[in-house]
Amino acid sequence: MESVYAIVVSYNGENYLSRCLDSLTTELLQENIIVVDNNSSDNTVSIIKENYQKVILLLSKENLGFGKGNNLGIRKALMSGAKHIFLINQDAWVEKGTISRLVNLQISDENYGLVSPIHFNDSGTRLGWYFSKMVNADSCPGFINDLYFAKLKSIYEIEFIHASGWLLSSKCLSKAGIFDPIFPHYGEDNDLSRRIKYHGFKIGICSETKLFHKGKFGDKIRSESDQLYHNF
């Protein structure tokens, strides 16, 4: 998938990043993975340089936050010819086949400018706590009913899904733009989602894909990884 790039914004993620990158390399070449490091003070950068030598590593001299860090990666990916860009948190990882399925869905229906996997906690034993709040009957019609009766469709339109794992099309980004730098962390994904919908694109979740996430996005219990993200 030469036209597909993945972007990870890292910050003191030495305990999480390897699992994230390893999951991405099951489908993508390292050359198609961009890590934007927000001036980590731990071993994050050295781990990337030693174990993922072909990953594109962009080093920031300051902590840019989540949105501006991703913007650096998005610009780099678009300049490299990306047609699809997968954003993923450093403390999340995907099941093999997830990215290709998301891409195929986006190709089959270009109206879906943003598609995301089903989000689970890190052990895969339950739906992500935050994700489960978003798939209610009003925001994601049909999903809960079809889940209970075991008749899931491939994709469901949803009002909003947090940016733990987003596949964005270049066509969508060209219309809606990238993250607004006014948001240091939290709120930037909601703002971009509103612009995506304003420009006529749909947001969807794919029932055939899985993303696993540590911390409060996976379980309500806060974790060390959440504290790192608050430091973005």
Side-chain angles (χ1 to χ4, degrees), residues 33-162:
I33 300 171
I34 300 170
V35 177
V36 181
D37 187 75
N38 266 340
N39 200 24
S40 292
S41 59
D42 65 357
N43 295 315
T44 296
V45 173
S46 61
I47 289 172
I48 297 169
K49 289 182 176 179
E50 291 173 9
N51 301 310
Y52 306 94
Q53 297 177 6
K54 294 184 179 180
V55 162
I56 300 170
L57 178 60
L58 305 180
L59 299 176
S60 173
K61 295 181 180 180
E62 60 178 322
N63 192 337
L64 297 172
F66 182 82
K68 287 192 287 186
N70 268 300
N71 285 347
L72 279 182
I74 291 171
R75 292 189 185 101
K76 176 66 175 177
L78 291 175
M79 288 176 59
S80 301
K83 300 299 183 184
H84 307 270
I85 297 175
F86 186 64
L87 310 183
I88 184 170
N89 283 17
Q90 65 176 359
D91 60 348
W93 59 97
V94 290
E95 182 180 68
K96 184 177 181 180
T98 288
I99 297 175
S100 59
R101 289 189 180 96
L102 293 176
V103 169
N104 288 336
L105 276 173
Q106 205 164 61
I107 291 173
S108 64
D109 188 346
E110 293 185 351
N111 290 317
Y112 277 103
L114 190 169
V115 287
S116 184
I118 304 299
H119 297 210
F120 292 83
N121 65 355
D122 60 336
S123 62
T125 56
R126 61 173 64 93
L127 291 176
W129 173 76
Y130 199 28
F131 176 86
S132 68
K133 296 177 66 177
M134 297 179 181
V135 292
N136 60 72
D138 290 329
S139 298
C140 190
F143 178 77
I144 294 175
N145 185 77
D146 290 353
L147 181 64
Y148 182 82
F149 289 103
K151 55 177 185 179
L152 284 172
K153 297 179 295 185
S154 294
I155 194 164
Y156 289 83
E157 188 171 358
I158 192 169
E159 187 70 21
F160 168 75
I161 184 69
H162 54 290

Side-chain angles (χ1 to χ4, degrees), residues 165-232:
W166 278 9
L167 183 76
L168 294 156
S169 68
S170 59
K171 182 179 179 181
C172 174
L173 288 168
S174 70
K175 295 287 185 64
I178 54 181
F179 290 114
D180 192 324
I182 196 173
F183 298 96
H185 190 62
Y186 295 138
E188 71 290 316
D189 53 356
N190 195 299
D191 172 72
L192 181 51
S193 294
R194 289 177 183 272
R195 283 185 275 128
I196 287 170
K197 292 173 70 66
Y198 173 80
H199 286 282
F201 291 95
K202 296 190 291 186
I203 300 171
I205 54 172
C206 174
S207 66
E208 300 167 341
T209 57
K210 293 182 179 181
L211 176 142
F212 306 93
H213 200 173
K214 292 186 69 67
K216 74 169 184 177
F217 290 102
D219 278 318
K220 192 173 181 179
I221 301 171
R222 294 186 59 78
S223 72
E224 178 187 356
S225 59
D226 295 321
Q227 298 299 331
L228 292 179
Y229 276 102
H230 276 288
N231 291 332
F232 259 151

